[in-house]
Amino acid sequence: MTPLDKVEGRAIPFGLKNVDTDVIIPAHWLKTTTREGMGRGAFESLRADPDNLFDSADFKGAPILIAGDNFGCGSSREHAAWALGDLGIRVVIAPSYSDIFSGNAVKNGILPVVLPQAAIDRLMEVATTDPVFVDLEHQTVTTQFQDRFSFEIDPFRKMCLLEGLDEISLTEKSDAAIGAYEKKLDADRPWMRPAA
Amino acid sequence: MTRPRTLYEKIWDAHVVEQRPDATCLIFIDRHLVHEVTSPQAFAGLRASGRTVRRPDLTIAVPDHNVPTTARLDAAGNKLPIADPESAAQLAALEKNAPEFGIRYIDATAPEQGIVHVVGPEQGFSLPGTTIVCGDSHTACHGGIGALAFGIGTSEVEHVLATQTLLLQPSKTMEVRVEGEVGPGVSAKDIILHITGVIGAAGGTGHVIEYTGSAIRALSVEGRLTVSNMAIEGGARAGLIAPDETTFEYLKGRPYAPKGADWDAAVAYWKSLATDPGATYDKTVVIDAADIAPSVTWGTSPEDVVPITGIVPDPASFADPSKQAAAAKSLAYMGLEPGTRMQDVPVENIFIGSCTNSRIEDLRAAAAVIKGRHKADNVKWAIVVPGSGLVKAQAEAEGLDRIFTDAGLEWREPGCSACLAMNPDKVPAGERCASTSNRNFVGRQGPGARTHLVSPAMAAAAAVTGKLTDVRELMA
């Protein structure tokens, strides 16, 4: 996973609420056995419109996406995060996310920034003409117009993003604890093993 | 005395392997269900890093998303080829990956194949008090038997395969209490559609929802699975319903369920899981069952719910400006005008199936409405897709398949089918579908398809009249 600290550039002023992962990447793009190339299918129904934001001269390849409430709701498909990453997006800024999507985003080096709607409204305005600056280390989103918004992030997620950490390697350090748990489970509740 | 705890807290506490310095915990996963769409990259990851599956005995793989629902074997019993090369490749990958990593594999042609969320409880593989994950958001379904079950992404699938654990933060708790008795024609699906309309598509975000109250306790296990299945549509990663005698009765004797003395020990443990008196939830929503009508969606978010007796709302009627904009967009996509009576909306397609509504009780409810009737002429495509081969066999033993086919509906092989249209079952662009599935998202049932979510009985009623219909009018 590519580490992430500071991201600056154009931010797509998308702003829609309840954007589900079927919209981010429709199911027919899921018929693949690799993670690559998902960007082609990203926001397919919206990009059918030739005047869409994502393919406009200003926002094509923009590293930041500004969205509305409950971004990434619906399906657990990690393909949504892969598709955003393939479009070049490293940061999403929204008032809230679905729980599964925000986890998937972090595991793919994409930072889900949570800001209140008022901040989103202001950033949507700035983003139409000017860049946005995101600083994970200091947990801020700023603009060249003295806007400065602080955001909260879980310290574990922050560390994973800053260091580009592989969670499986981290968990493997707890191998003994997992073994001890399994042993105790077998002793306390042996019926938990599938009977057949 | 220990602090009173909720059902969720008890299951969580019993699964903490290790707590990190922050609130993150390493949580043990008791059951892992794997299907063909979200697993290939996880198996590839294991291979690339030289890792193995830690607990193949706790894992089952079954294809469901891509499988065609037409015949899978020819007259001689040979496997028929899958026409779509991409689907075929994904199915072949699962068939190869599962045995290679020592995982139980249920083939698409096996009698017990079906949708993962139907197969898990049906096989007794899903048990109360367990943690269950699957690379599919409707894993929330298994909460209907009292399991803490949730959908995960492919990186997490790989993490569980390698370590049998997940790094998680505890969720907040939300109680949705439905008290009283529902009226005639109101099913578990109507209860959960109504709840989703009340709490909104993000109402449960960050929470695990426990469904309580007399209307929930009165539901069969099938009905409880339907309710918990759509917890995710209200934003909650998981739903829960306390296991009780109804649950135990359903699970007893199923292939992977505990047997003999183990069964008694298991039941004793499961009985200890119910939320303690005095335990508190972070949020509680109370719903009067009498307020729930047969329900239907009008828009492209599952929160867009009205009673079948209602009308298409005016976007201006919503207080929130972003909801106004979303509703206007939804209506344009759905081709609906504000003020239209829902019962005047014609439908050309009917889909009875999905992990929400494809169990035997669902098929019985649909068959009861359609028996002795025929689909309307304007209904061009109407399919019934049982949730598993065992559901299909049971339905056929009861003669339900004949009721459907006599009425002009097609009787299919089990799978996810037109719920997400990854296989050939799609709703044509611009056409409507009365669907018993869980999501009315843009393009969900095929590009341009317009979905109205309903119960199985309501889908059957729509098939008969060719428009969205109040099933109570067709009931004897």
Side-chain angles (χ1 to χ4, degrees):
Chain A
M1 193 175 95
T2 322
L4 180 143
D5 184 7
K6 289 184 176 61
V7 176
E8 59 174 87
R10 295 306 297 271
I12 307 167
F14 181 47
L16 275 185
K17 175 180 174 153
N18 285 335
V19 171
D20 57 72
T21 52
D22 276 76
V23 164
I24 300 173
I25 185 86
H28 69 97
W29 289 95
L30 273 49
K31 294 185 189 186
T32 164
T33 52
T34 65
R35 298 175 187 233
E36 286 77 37
M38 288 280 149
R40 282 179 302 139
F43 299 105
E44 186 178 48
S45 61
L46 300 167
R47 286 165 73 198
D49 173 359
D51 296 328
N52 77 86
L53 276 176
F54 298 93
D55 296 312
S56 67
D58 281 348
F59 298 110
K60 200 174 170 68
I64 303 169
L65 177 71
I66 308 176
D69 241 332
N70 202 22
F71 185 78
C73 61
S75 161
S76 62
R77 59 188 68 166
E78 193 163 323
H79 309 67
W82 302 337
L84 295 181
D86 202 34
L87 279 185
I89 292 168
R90 299 297 314 274
V91 178
V92 185
I93 306 176
S96 69
Y97 301 87
S98 89
D99 297 332
I100 302 178
F101 172 80
S102 59
N104 284 341
V106 169
K107 288 179 178 59
N108 289 279
I110 296 173
L111 166 65
V113 172
V114 176
L115 285 178
Q117 188 62 49
I120 300 289
D121 293 343
R122 169 62 188 155
L123 290 171
M124 289 278 288
E125 194 185 328
V126 172
T128 54
T129 49
D130 292 280
V132 169
F133 307 87
V134 178
D135 182 339
L136 174 58
E137 176 66 45
H138 299 98
Q139 299 180 209
T140 59
V141 178
T142 54
T143 72
Q144 56 189 306
F145 307 104
Q146 269 82 54
D147 297 293
R148 187 175 188 282
F149 304 105
S150 295
F151 61 89
E152 294 297 315
I153 181 167
D154 163 59
F156 179 67
R157 285 188 168 178
K158 181 176 177 176
M159 177 188 78
C160 287
L161 282 164
L162 285 172
E163 296 177 19
L165 213 65
D166 165 15
E167 271 191 23
I168 298 181
S169 306
L170 191 72
T171 299
E172 281 173 340
K173 292 181 189 158
S174 301
D175 187 65
I178 300 170
Y181 180 94
E182 287 173 318
K183 214 170 155 191
K184 188 165 181 337
L185 182 65
D186 275 344
D188 292 351
R189 297 194 287 280
W191 51 266
M192 288 276 276
R193 280 185 183 250
Chain B
M1 206 184 118
T2 52
R3 184 180 64 88
R5 291 179 300 164
T6 62
L7 169 58
Y8 167 74
E9 291 168 312
K10 290 182 190 183
I11 301 177
W12 175 272
D13 291 350
H15 288 86
V16 175
V17 171
E18 222 176 42
Q19 173 141 15
R20 300 180 48 84
D22 54 76
T24 309
C25 289
L26 192 63
I27 293 292
F28 191 74
I29 302 302
D30 296 312
R31 301 286 188 270
H32 188 186
L33 298 159
V34 175
H35 64 85
E36 78 278 21
V37 177
T38 55
S39 67
Q41 295 87 349
F43 285 115
L46 290 182
R47 224 173 253 124
S49 56
R51 291 181 171 117
T52 55
V53 174
R54 184 181 179 99
R55 293 294 301 271
D57 61 319
L58 302 183
T59 314
I60 285 186
V62 57
D64 58 4
H65 283 60
N66 266 295
V67 288
T69 55
T70 46
R72 291 172 193 161
L73 296 172
D74 66 14
N78 301 310
K79 269 196 190 188
L80 288 164
I82 309 277
D84 175 3
E86 290 180 304
S87 292
Q90 267 192 343
L91 292 162
L94 187 66
E95 192 173 352
K96 173 174 175 286
N97 285 330
E100 209 171 296
F101 286 91
I103 295 168
R104 291 183 180 90
Y105 172 70
I106 301 174
D107 189 72
T109 57
E112 70 274 29
Q113 181 268 342
I115 306 172
V116 277
H117 310 310
V118 175
V119 171
E122 187 174 76
Q123 291 294 321
F125 188 69
S126 309
L127 296 175
T130 58
T131 48
I132 304 178
V133 296
C134 172
D136 186 283
S137 61
H138 290 109
T139 308
C141 192
H142 309 257
I145 57 157
L148 178 60
F150 47 87
I152 56 177
T154 297
S155 295
E156 289 175 311
V157 170
E158 186 179 340
H159 193 281
V160 175
L161 288 172
T163 70
Q164 205 58 36
T165 62
L166 278 178
L167 282 160
L168 294 170
Q169 294 225 321
S171 299
K172 286 185 268 189
T173 54
M174 178 170 176
E175 179 190 26
V176 174
R177 196 190 315 150
V178 189
E179 292 288 2
E181 258 183 67
V182 295
V186 176
S187 69
K189 181 63 164 291
D190 301 297
I191 295 177
I192 191 61
L193 284 174
H194 182 89
I195 290 171
T196 310
V198 170
I199 69 173
T205 303
H207 294 74
V208 166
I209 298 178
E210 182 178 346
Y211 302 93
T212 67
S214 54
I216 300 295
R217 284 196 302 275
L219 292 172
S220 65
V221 166
E222 285 86 349
R224 296 174 185 191
L225 293 166
T226 298
V227 168
S228 197
N229 178 276
M230 288 183 66
I232 184 71
E233 265 49 75
R237 199 169 182 179
L240 277 171
I241 293 171
D244 60 9
E245 291 302 330
T246 305
T247 321
F248 310 148
E249 192 56 38
Y250 171 91
L251 287 170
K252 195 169 187 180
R254 295 192 180 262
Y256 293 106
K259 308 280 187 303
D262 275 349
W263 172 259
D264 298 332
V267 170
Y269 178 74
W270 296 336
K271 283 181 174 168
S272 74
L273 294 173
T275 294
D276 295 324
T280 54
Y281 300 89
D282 294 299
K283 216 190 228 184
T284 292
V285 174
V286 181
I287 288 169
D288 183 349
D291 290 343
I292 306 175
S295 299
V296 58
T297 59
W298 53 266
T300 57
S301 167
E303 70 183 20
D304 299 338
V305 176
V306 287
I308 182 64
T309 50
I311 57 167
V312 176
D314 186 338
S317 66
F318 295 100
D320 171 8
S322 70
K323 182 66 195 176
Q324 289 177 1
K329 253 186 143 64
S330 285
L331 290 188
Y333 179 82
M334 293 296 289
L336 290 171
E337 290 296 326
T340 306
R341 281 167 20 107
M342 292 312 298
Q343 295 176 82
D344 292 338
V345 176
V347 291
E348 302 85 20
N349 303 276
I350 305 289
F351 173 57
I352 299 174
S354 87
C355 57
T356 313
N357 278 133
S358 63
R359 283 165 280 269
I360 190 68
E361 180 181 285
D362 302 314
L363 303 187
R364 286 177 188 146
V369 172
I370 217 155
K371 189 174 186 178
R373 296 182 165 118
H374 200 272
K375 76 171 177 68
D377 289 341
N378 67 308
V379 172
K380 297 191 283 191
W381 190 67
I383 62 169
V384 185
V385 184
S388 72
L390 298 185
V391 170
K392 182 169 185 261
Q394 174 69 29
E396 288 172 355
E398 296 178 20
L400 305 184
D401 57 323
R402 288 295 303 274
I403 294 175
F404 291 122
T405 52
D406 287 352
L409 279 65
E410 294 174 45
W411 180 245
R412 297 290 190 94
E413 297 296 321
C416 300
S417 182
C419 173
L420 83 168
M422 279 195 77
N423 80 343
D425 305 337
K426 293 175 181 33
V427 175
E431 291 189 13
R432 294 180 196 286
C433 183
S435 177
T436 67
S437 54
N438 37 57
R439 288 188 175 139
N440 51 352
F441 295 159
V442 168
R444 174 80 178 181
Q445 295 195 287
R450 295 164 169 170
T451 303
H452 294 280
L453 300 177
V454 290
S455 74
M458 287 279 285
V464 170
T465 63
K467 58 193 178 73
L468 297 175
T469 297
D470 189 340
V471 66
R472 292 172 295 195
E473 290 172 10
L474 297 187
M475 287 165 57

PDB file of all heavy atoms in Angstrom, chain A residues 36-59:
ATOM      1  N   GLU A  36      -6.892  -4.620 -10.878  1.00  0.00           N
ATOM      2  CA  GLU A  36      -6.495  -3.516 -11.758  1.00  0.00           C
ATOM      3  C   GLU A  36      -7.592  -3.100 -12.745  1.00  0.00           C
ATOM      4  O   GLU A  36      -8.486  -3.873 -13.054  1.00  0.00           O
ATOM      5  CB  GLU A  36      -5.230  -3.911 -12.552  1.00  0.00           C
ATOM      6  CG  GLU A  36      -3.964  -3.915 -11.722  1.00  0.00           C
ATOM      7  CD  GLU A  36      -3.843  -5.133 -10.816  1.00  0.00           C
ATOM      8  OE1 GLU A  36      -4.252  -6.227 -11.244  1.00  0.00           O
ATOM      9  OE2 GLU A  36      -3.384  -4.975  -9.665  1.00  0.00           O
ATOM     10  N   GLY A  37      -7.453  -1.874 -13.230  1.00  0.00           N
ATOM     11  CA  GLY A  37      -8.262  -1.392 -14.354  1.00  0.00           C
ATOM     12  C   GLY A  37      -9.692  -1.026 -14.025  1.00  0.00           C
ATOM     13  O   GLY A  37     -10.499  -0.772 -14.918  1.00  0.00           O
ATOM     14  N   MET A  38     -10.020  -0.951 -12.730  1.00  0.00           N
ATOM     15  CA  MET A  38     -11.404  -0.682 -12.319  1.00  0.00           C
ATOM     16  C   MET A  38     -11.837   0.750 -12.665  1.00  0.00           C
ATOM     17  O   MET A  38     -13.033   1.035 -12.725  1.00  0.00           O
ATOM     18  CB  MET A  38     -11.540  -0.866 -10.805  1.00  0.00           C
ATOM     19  CG  MET A  38     -11.477  -2.289 -10.371  1.00  0.00           C
ATOM     20  SD  MET A  38     -13.067  -3.070 -10.628  1.00  0.00           S
ATOM     21  CE  MET A  38     -12.517  -4.716 -10.963  1.00  0.00           C
ATOM     22  N   GLY A  39     -10.871   1.654 -12.855  1.00  0.00           N
ATOM     23  CA  GLY A  39     -11.195   3.055 -13.122  1.00  0.00           C
ATOM     24  C   GLY A  39     -12.072   3.217 -14.356  1.00  0.00           C
ATOM     25  O   GLY A  39     -12.895   4.134 -14.421  1.00  0.00           O
ATOM     26  N   ARG A  40     -11.924   2.317 -15.308  1.00  0.00           N
ATOM     27  CA  ARG A  40     -12.724   2.410 -16.537  1.00  0.00           C
ATOM     28  C   ARG A  40     -14.219   2.325 -16.237  1.00  0.00           C
ATOM     29  O   ARG A  40     -15.031   2.932 -16.911  1.00  0.00           O
ATOM     30  CB  ARG A  40     -12.337   1.287 -17.512  1.00  0.00           C
ATOM     31  CG  ARG A  40     -11.020   1.566 -18.254  1.00  0.00           C
ATOM     32  CD  ARG A  40     -10.683   0.417 -19.177  1.00  0.00           C
ATOM     33  NE  ARG A  40     -10.570  -0.844 -18.425  1.00  0.00           N
ATOM     34  CZ  ARG A  40     -11.032  -2.014 -18.823  1.00  0.00           C
ATOM     35  NH1 ARG A  40     -11.652  -2.119 -19.977  1.00  0.00           N
ATOM     36  NH2 ARG A  40     -10.872  -3.093 -18.074  1.00  0.00           N
ATOM     37  N   GLY A  41     -14.564   1.531 -15.211  1.00  0.00           N
ATOM     38  CA  GLY A  41     -15.982   1.370 -14.893  1.00  0.00           C
ATOM     39  C   GLY A  41     -16.492   2.320 -13.819  1.00  0.00           C
ATOM     40  O   GLY A  41     -17.676   2.333 -13.505  1.00  0.00           O
ATOM     41  N   ALA A  42     -15.561   3.121 -13.241  1.00  0.00           N
ATOM     42  CA  ALA A  42     -15.949   3.989 -12.121  1.00  0.00           C
ATOM     43  C   ALA A  42     -17.029   4.982 -12.538  1.00  0.00           C
ATOM     44  O   ALA A  42     -16.895   5.623 -13.579  1.00  0.00           O
ATOM     45  CB  ALA A  42     -14.729   4.745 -11.589  1.00  0.00           C
ATOM     46  N   PHE A  43     -18.075   5.105 -11.758  1.00  0.00           N
ATOM     47  CA  PHE A  43     -19.174   6.059 -11.993  1.00  0.00           C
ATOM     48  C   PHE A  43     -19.726   5.950 -13.409  1.00  0.00           C
ATOM     49  O   PHE A  43     -20.069   6.955 -14.035  1.00  0.00           O
ATOM     50  CB  PHE A  43     -18.707   7.498 -11.700  1.00  0.00           C
ATOM     51  CG  PHE A  43     -18.256   7.719 -10.284  1.00  0.00           C
ATOM     52  CD1 PHE A  43     -16.906   7.829  -9.972  1.00  0.00           C
ATOM     53  CD2 PHE A  43     -19.180   7.802  -9.256  1.00  0.00           C
ATOM     54  CE1 PHE A  43     -16.486   8.024  -8.662  1.00  0.00           C
ATOM     55  CE2 PHE A  43     -18.773   8.004  -7.938  1.00  0.00           C
ATOM     56  CZ  PHE A  43     -17.422   8.116  -7.641  1.00  0.00           C
ATOM     57  N   GLU A  44     -19.810   4.733 -13.909  1.00  0.00           N
ATOM     58  CA  GLU A  44     -20.172   4.507 -15.311  1.00  0.00           C
ATOM     59  C   GLU A  44     -21.471   5.212 -15.722  1.00  0.00           C
ATOM     60  O   GLU A  44     -21.521   5.854 -16.774  1.00  0.00           O
ATOM     61  CB  GLU A  44     -20.308   3.007 -15.554  1.00  0.00           C
ATOM     62  CG  GLU A  44     -20.552   2.640 -17.001  1.00  0.00           C
ATOM     63  CD  GLU A  44     -20.619   1.125 -17.182  1.00  0.00           C
ATOM     64  OE1 GLU A  44     -21.327   0.460 -16.408  1.00  0.00           O
ATOM     65  OE2 GLU A  44     -19.951   0.625 -18.094  1.00  0.00           O
ATOM     66  N   SER A  45     -22.510   5.092 -14.878  1.00  0.00           N
ATOM     67  CA  SER A  45     -23.797   5.666 -15.287  1.00  0.00           C
ATOM     68  C   SER A  45     -23.714   7.191 -15.365  1.00  0.00           C
ATOM     69  O   SER A  45     -24.315   7.816 -16.235  1.00  0.00           O
ATOM     70  CB  SER A  45     -24.920   5.226 -14.326  1.00  0.00           C
ATOM     71  OG  SER A  45     -24.658   5.663 -13.014  1.00  0.00           O
ATOM     72  N   LEU A  46     -22.913   7.802 -14.468  1.00  0.00           N
ATOM     73  CA  LEU A  46     -22.776   9.269 -14.495  1.00  0.00           C
ATOM     74  C   LEU A  46     -21.878   9.711 -15.646  1.00  0.00           C
ATOM     75  O   LEU A  46     -22.101  10.749 -16.273  1.00  0.00           O
ATOM     76  CB  LEU A  46     -22.185   9.753 -13.163  1.00  0.00           C
ATOM     77  CG  LEU A  46     -23.015   9.412 -11.930  1.00  0.00           C
ATOM     78  CD1 LEU A  46     -22.218   9.636 -10.654  1.00  0.00           C
ATOM     79  CD2 LEU A  46     -24.280  10.268 -11.909  1.00  0.00           C
ATOM     80  N   ARG A  47     -20.870   8.900 -15.935  1.00  0.00           N
ATOM     81  CA  ARG A  47     -19.913   9.278 -16.985  1.00  0.00           C
ATOM     82  C   ARG A  47     -20.444   9.010 -18.388  1.00  0.00           C
ATOM     83  O   ARG A  47     -19.778   9.339 -19.377  1.00  0.00           O
ATOM     84  CB  ARG A  47     -18.576   8.588 -16.734  1.00  0.00           C
ATOM     85  CG  ARG A  47     -17.833   9.235 -15.555  1.00  0.00           C
ATOM     86  CD  ARG A  47     -16.700   8.386 -15.054  1.00  0.00           C
ATOM     87  NE  ARG A  47     -15.564   8.398 -15.964  1.00  0.00           N
ATOM     88  CZ  ARG A  47     -14.595   7.481 -15.932  1.00  0.00           C
ATOM     89  NH1 ARG A  47     -14.656   6.498 -15.051  1.00  0.00           N
ATOM     90  NH2 ARG A  47     -13.598   7.554 -16.762  1.00  0.00           N
ATOM     91  N   ALA A  48     -21.647   8.409 -18.454  1.00  0.00           N
ATOM     92  CA  ALA A  48     -22.285   8.253 -19.761  1.00  0.00           C
ATOM     93  C   ALA A  48     -22.641   9.642 -20.313  1.00  0.00           C
ATOM     94  O   ALA A  48     -22.771   9.833 -21.525  1.00  0.00           O
ATOM     95  CB  ALA A  48     -23.535   7.401 -19.634  1.00  0.00           C
ATOM     96  N   ASP A  49     -22.797  10.618 -19.393  1.00  0.00           N
ATOM     97  CA  ASP A  49     -23.047  12.000 -19.787  1.00  0.00           C
ATOM     98  C   ASP A  49     -21.706  12.627 -20.206  1.00  0.00           C
ATOM     99  O   ASP A  49     -20.786  12.716 -19.397  1.00  0.00           O
ATOM    100  CB  ASP A  49     -23.647  12.745 -18.577  1.00  0.00           C
ATOM    101  CG  ASP A  49     -23.798  14.243 -18.827  1.00  0.00           C
ATOM    102  OD1 ASP A  49     -23.430  14.710 -19.916  1.00  0.00           O
ATOM    103  OD2 ASP A  49     -24.291  14.922 -17.910  1.00  0.00           O
ATOM    104  N   PRO A  50     -21.572  13.078 -21.468  1.00  0.00           N
ATOM    105  CA  PRO A  50     -20.272  13.591 -21.927  1.00  0.00           C
ATOM    106  C   PRO A  50     -19.805  14.823 -21.139  1.00  0.00           C
ATOM    107  O   PRO A  50     -18.606  15.112 -21.108  1.00  0.00           O
ATOM    108  CB  PRO A  50     -20.504  13.947 -23.399  1.00  0.00           C
ATOM    109  CG  PRO A  50     -21.984  13.883 -23.627  1.00  0.00           C
ATOM    110  CD  PRO A  50     -22.594  13.058 -22.536  1.00  0.00           C
ATOM    111  N   ASP A  51     -20.716  15.530 -20.475  1.00  0.00           N
ATOM    112  CA  ASP A  51     -20.331  16.718 -19.706  1.00  0.00           C
ATOM    113  C   ASP A  51     -20.069  16.399 -18.230  1.00  0.00           C
ATOM    114  O   ASP A  51     -20.100  17.298 -17.389  1.00  0.00           O
ATOM    115  CB  ASP A  51     -21.445  17.775 -19.791  1.00  0.00           C
ATOM    116  CG  ASP A  51     -21.615  18.268 -21.219  1.00  0.00           C
ATOM    117  OD1 ASP A  51     -20.596  18.305 -21.941  1.00  0.00           O
ATOM    118  OD2 ASP A  51     -22.755  18.591 -21.615  1.00  0.00           O
ATOM    119  N   ASN A  52     -19.830  15.125 -17.907  1.00  0.00           N
ATOM    120  CA  ASN A  52     -19.660  14.776 -16.488  1.00  0.00           C
ATOM    121  C   ASN A  52     -18.386  15.373 -15.903  1.00  0.00           C
ATOM    122  O   ASN A  52     -17.406  15.635 -16.614  1.00  0.00           O
ATOM    123  CB  ASN A  52     -19.676  13.251 -16.331  1.00  0.00           C
ATOM    124  CG  ASN A  52     -18.364  12.630 -16.756  1.00  0.00           C
ATOM    125  OD1 ASN A  52     -17.428  12.534 -15.989  1.00  0.00           O
ATOM    126  ND2 ASN A  52     -18.283  12.232 -18.032  1.00  0.00           N
ATOM    127  N   LEU A  53     -18.417  15.567 -14.578  1.00  0.00           N
ATOM    128  CA  LEU A  53     -17.283  16.159 -13.855  1.00  0.00           C
ATOM    129  C   LEU A  53     -16.010  15.331 -13.971  1.00  0.00           C
ATOM    130  O   LEU A  53     -14.915  15.874 -14.129  1.00  0.00           O
ATOM    131  CB  LEU A  53     -17.637  16.236 -12.361  1.00  0.00           C
ATOM    132  CG  LEU A  53     -18.441  17.414 -11.832  1.00  0.00           C
ATOM    133  CD1 LEU A  53     -18.723  17.186 -10.356  1.00  0.00           C
ATOM    134  CD2 LEU A  53     -17.632  18.702 -12.029  1.00  0.00           C
ATOM    135  N   PHE A  54     -16.165  14.017 -13.854  1.00  0.00           N
ATOM    136  CA  PHE A  54     -14.997  13.149 -13.730  1.00  0.00           C
ATOM    137  C   PHE A  54     -14.083  13.209 -14.950  1.00  0.00           C
ATOM    138  O   PHE A  54     -12.877  13.047 -14.844  1.00  0.00           O
ATOM    139  CB  PHE A  54     -15.432  11.699 -13.475  1.00  0.00           C
ATOM    140  CG  PHE A  54     -16.202  11.540 -12.204  1.00  0.00           C
ATOM    141  CD1 PHE A  54     -17.585  11.597 -12.203  1.00  0.00           C
ATOM    142  CD2 PHE A  54     -15.536  11.374 -10.999  1.00  0.00           C
ATOM    143  CE1 PHE A  54     -18.303  11.475 -11.038  1.00  0.00           C
ATOM    144  CE2 PHE A  54     -16.248  11.255  -9.807  1.00  0.00           C
ATOM    145  CZ  PHE A  54     -17.639  11.309  -9.824  1.00  0.00           C
ATOM    146  N   ASP A  55     -14.658  13.430 -16.129  1.00  0.00           N
ATOM    147  CA  ASP A  55     -13.853  13.448 -17.349  1.00  0.00           C
ATOM    148  C   ASP A  55     -13.630  14.866 -17.864  1.00  0.00           C
ATOM    149  O   ASP A  55     -13.097  15.050 -18.958  1.00  0.00           O
ATOM    150  CB  ASP A  55     -14.532  12.590 -18.428  1.00  0.00           C
ATOM    151  CG  ASP A  55     -14.605  11.127 -18.010  1.00  0.00           C
ATOM    152  OD1 ASP A  55     -13.562  10.599 -17.569  1.00  0.00           O
ATOM    153  OD2 ASP A  55     -15.692  10.532 -18.089  1.00  0.00           O
ATOM    154  N   SER A  56     -14.038  15.874 -17.093  1.00  0.00           N
ATOM    155  CA  SER A  56     -13.853  17.253 -17.548  1.00  0.00           C
ATOM    156  C   SER A  56     -12.373  17.612 -17.480  1.00  0.00           C
ATOM    157  O   SER A  56     -11.602  17.018 -16.723  1.00  0.00           O
ATOM    158  CB  SER A  56     -14.670  18.202 -16.663  1.00  0.00           C
ATOM    159  OG  SER A  56     -14.133  18.195 -15.357  1.00  0.00           O
ATOM    160  N   ALA A  57     -11.984  18.606 -18.254  1.00  0.00           N
ATOM    161  CA  ALA A  57     -10.571  19.012 -18.318  1.00  0.00           C
ATOM    162  C   ALA A  57     -10.048  19.389 -16.928  1.00  0.00           C
ATOM    163  O   ALA A  57      -8.922  19.075 -16.561  1.00  0.00           O
ATOM    164  CB  ALA A  57     -10.416  20.182 -19.285  1.00  0.00           C
ATOM    165  N   ASP A  58     -10.901  20.043 -16.134  1.00  0.00           N
ATOM    166  CA  ASP A  58     -10.466  20.495 -14.809  1.00  0.00           C
ATOM    167  C   ASP A  58     -10.250  19.359 -13.819  1.00  0.00           C
ATOM    168  O   ASP A  58      -9.381  19.432 -12.951  1.00  0.00           O
ATOM    169  CB  ASP A  58     -11.525  21.439 -14.207  1.00  0.00           C
ATOM    170  CG  ASP A  58     -11.415  22.841 -14.784  1.00  0.00           C
ATOM    171  OD1 ASP A  58     -10.393  23.100 -15.452  1.00  0.00           O
ATOM    172  OD2 ASP A  58     -12.343  23.644 -14.571  1.00  0.00           O
ATOM    173  N   PHE A  59     -11.077  18.325 -13.911  1.00  0.00           N
ATOM    174  CA  PHE A  59     -11.094  17.346 -12.811  1.00  0.00           C
ATOM    175  C   PHE A  59     -10.601  15.946 -13.170  1.00  0.00           C
ATOM    176  O   PHE A  59     -10.510  15.091 -12.303  1.00  0.00           O
ATOM    177  CB  PHE A  59     -12.500  17.283 -12.199  1.00  0.00           C
ATOM    178  CG  PHE A  59     -12.920  18.588 -11.614  1.00  0.00           C
ATOM    179  CD1 PHE A  59     -13.917  19.353 -12.201  1.00  0.00           C
ATOM    180  CD2 PHE A  59     -12.278  19.085 -10.487  1.00  0.00           C
ATOM    181  CE1 PHE A  59     -14.285  20.583 -11.663  1.00  0.00           C
ATOM    182  CE2 PHE A  59     -12.639  20.309  -9.932  1.00  0.00           C
ATOM    183  CZ  PHE A  59     -13.643  21.061 -10.528  1.00  0.00           C
TER     184      PHE A  59
END
